[in-house]
Amino acid sequence: SAVISQKPSRDICQRGTSLTIQCQVDSQVTMMFWYRQQPGQSLTLIATANQGSEATYESGFVIDKFPISRPNLTFSTLTVSNMSPEDSSIYLCSVEGGLASYNEQFFGPGTRLTVL
Amino acid sequence: DAKTTQPPSMDCAEGRAANLPCNHSTISGNEYVYWYRQIHSQGPQYIIHGLKNNETNEMASLIITEDRKSSTLILPHATLRDTAVYYCIVRPGGGNQGGKLIFGQGTELSVKP
């Protein structure tokens, strides 16, 4: 199975600032995804992080607010820009495909963000 | 929107089988049924998936009806550590074709002593 780490594990930020979350996988994977989980809610897919090209965003999410990078097959970042209290959520990355992951997605531990 | 319907909550006695139902009446021929669970404060964990045959692994069994419009996840001997939110998801096969996971609200399973 793929082992995923996320940094930071949690943060408290002021409104109007930006936070970049890192996702690192211990093996090369084909696909990487970013999810948001608001308090007491289920997971919502933000975007698919594409290696070497722009991310594919789901309805309701835009690149200016959630820029994503994926420079290689083991690493991705999600930035939450110009934050407001409504952005307080857990942000999770997940991975699929490659030698360690076929037909199942593995999830990172999440980054718990609080915006004041 | 999620293509599945699950009861919002269920209780189960420790040591007994937990049977979690899921309706997916609009499932397409190329879509699989996946089950994940999320233990409090952790990322979701893959449990099992299937296309049309029943499946079993070390964690659970998946029973899919012949018409594929519903399925049941079975935890044969539930423990307190199985208390979690269980998500039933339908999507095209994964691997390098990788379909995105669309999570519904899931079933909150409480295993009680």
Side-chain angles (χ1 to χ4, degrees):
Chain A
S1 63
V3 178
I4 305 166
S5 61
Q6 287 186 231
K7 291 182 181 179
S9 59
R10 59 177 62 227
D11 208 342
I12 301 173
C13 301
Q14 297 297 319
R15 69 171 66 213
T17 63
S18 297
L19 177 72
T20 295
I21 302 167
Q22 299 179 3
C23 178
Q24 179 74 55
V25 194
D26 67 342
S27 60
Q28 293 185 345
V29 293
T30 308
M31 308 194 73
M32 297 183 78
F33 305 90
W34 286 97
Y35 291 82
R36 179 177 74 181
Q37 188 169 29
Q38 295 175 301
Q41 300 297 313
S42 182
L43 285 80
T44 301
L45 180 63
I46 298 172
T48 302
N50 300 310
Q51 196 265 328
S53 65
E54 194 171 284
T56 304
Y57 289 85
E58 297 298 306
S59 176
F61 297 95
V62 296
I63 188 171
D64 290 347
K65 176 67 176 178
F66 298 101
I68 289 170
S69 77
R70 190 177 171 193
N72 56 51
L73 295 177
T74 64
F75 185 79
S76 178
T77 67
L78 168 74
T79 298
V80 186
S81 302
N82 188 24
M83 289 184 284
S84 67
E86 292 71 33
D87 294 318
S88 296
S89 295
I90 299 173
Y91 292 86
L92 300 106
C93 71
S94 71
V95 305
E96 186 168 351
L99 294 177
S101 169
Y102 190 85
N103 271 335
E104 57 183 277
Q105 277 189 27
F106 292 98
F107 284 79
T111 295
R112 185 179 294 271
L113 171 63
T114 301
V115 184
L116 303 178
Chain B
D1 290 341
K3 298 176 63 175
T4 62
T5 304
Q6 299 177 251
S9 63
M10 292 181 61
D11 289 341
C12 178
E14 187 178 20
R16 303 296 294 270
N19 297 280
L20 291 92
C22 179
N23 288 320
H24 31 78
S25 58
T26 62
I27 192 170
S28 301
N30 67 338
E31 287 182 319
Y32 288 68
V33 180
Y34 280 75
W35 283 83
Y36 283 77
R37 73 180 182 183
Q38 187 175 26
I39 297 170
H40 183 61
S41 297
Q42 298 182 21
Q45 175 189 23
Y46 165 84
I47 300 173
I48 199 168
H49 76 281
L51 182 62
K52 55 182 179 181
N53 297 320
N54 298 337
E55 302 288 343
T56 296
N57 63 21
E58 65 278 6
M59 290 182 66
S61 295
L62 174 61
I63 308 298
I64 303 174
T65 59
E66 191 169 343
D67 63 7
R68 303 211 320 125
K69 292 185 177 182
S70 65
S71 61
T72 301
L73 179 75
I74 302 173
L75 308 178
H77 305 287
T79 71
L80 299 179
R81 289 175 294 181
D82 292 320
T83 293
V85 179
Y86 288 77
Y87 296 100
C88 170
I89 302 168
V90 297
R91 66 157 211 180
N96 292 328
Q97 289 92 41
K100 53 191 177 185
L101 296 174
I102 305 299
F103 286 80
Q105 294 305 308
T107 296
E108 186 167 7
L109 175 68
S110 297
V111 181
K112 300 184 183 297

